């Protein structure tokens, strides 16, 4: 059974930090491209940060310098460290895996390029 379980979302003030976690079961997470996506009400789901099998990374321009994607292969867990959060970061955040593809170089960044998804976790940035 392949399953992705997210945690770490919540309410935070502007300028604050959150660390999202996504624990994978039934998959070796480090073998495949992984990504974090977000979707705000009335908006399309967009790629926030992604990483390839070889460690190549992608960051959306809106989060560069503030967010960091990582994975801990021993724990089979992926993370999104979010610093200096802005109200515009408010959204449901999803982790995703492109299972079945060992991907080298620039990672896939579009939702349709991923085939397994977490349940989503709400991040609200507000004073």
């Amino acid at each position: 059974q392949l399953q992705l379980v997210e945690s770490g979302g919540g309410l935070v003030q502007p300028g604050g930090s959150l660390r999202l976690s996504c624990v994978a079961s039934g998959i070796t997470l480090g073998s495949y491209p992984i990504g974090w996506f977000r979707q705000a009400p009335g908006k399309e789901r967009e790629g926030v940060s992604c990483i390839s099998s070889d460690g190549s990374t992608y960051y959306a321009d809106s989060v560069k310098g503030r967010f960091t994607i990582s994975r801990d292969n021993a724990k089979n867990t992926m993370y999104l460290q979010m610093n200096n959060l802005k109200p515009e970061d408010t959204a449901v955040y999803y982790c995703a895996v492109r299972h079945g593809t060992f991907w080298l170089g620039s990672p896939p960044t579009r939702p349709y390029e991923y085939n397994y998804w977490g349940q989503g976790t709400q991040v609200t940035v507000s004073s």
Side-chain angles (χ1 to χ4, degrees), residues 31-80:
S31 298
Y32 309 106
I34 59 174
W36 288 95
F37 296 78
R38 67 186 181 188
Q39 187 166 19
K43 304 287 187 179
E44 296 288 330
R45 189 171 299 187
E46 63 175 347
V48 175
S49 183
C50 307
I51 186 168
S52 293
S53 305
D54 66 352
S56 301
T57 56
Y58 161 84
Y59 292 94
D61 288 342
S62 59
V63 307
K64 284 181 179 177
R66 300 189 297 121
F67 291 11
T68 304
I69 189 171
S70 64
R71 56 182 153 198
D72 186 329
N73 291 338
K75 297 180 179 179
N76 214 29
T77 302
M78 57 187 289
Y79 304 94
L80 184 68

Side-chain angles (χ1 to χ4, degrees), residues 1 3 5-6 11 14 22 25 28 34-35 41 50 59 64 66 68 73 80 85 87 90 107 109 113 120 123:
Q1 181 181 22
Q3 188 175 35
V5 180
E6 302 178 38
L11 175 64
C22 179
S25 300
T28 301
I34 59 174
C50 307
Y59 292 94
K64 284 181 179 177
R66 300 189 297 121
T68 304
N73 291 338
L80 184 68
L85 284 160
T90 296
T109 62
E113 295 179 292
V123 172

Side-chain angles (χ1 to χ4, degrees), residues 29-35 51-53 71 96-104 107-108 114:
L29 192 60
S31 298
Y32 309 106
I34 59 174
I51 186 168
S52 293
S53 305
R71 56 182 153 198
V97 179
R98 180 66 165 94
H99 183 249
T101 304
F102 188 81
W103 194 296
L104 301 178
Y114 289 80

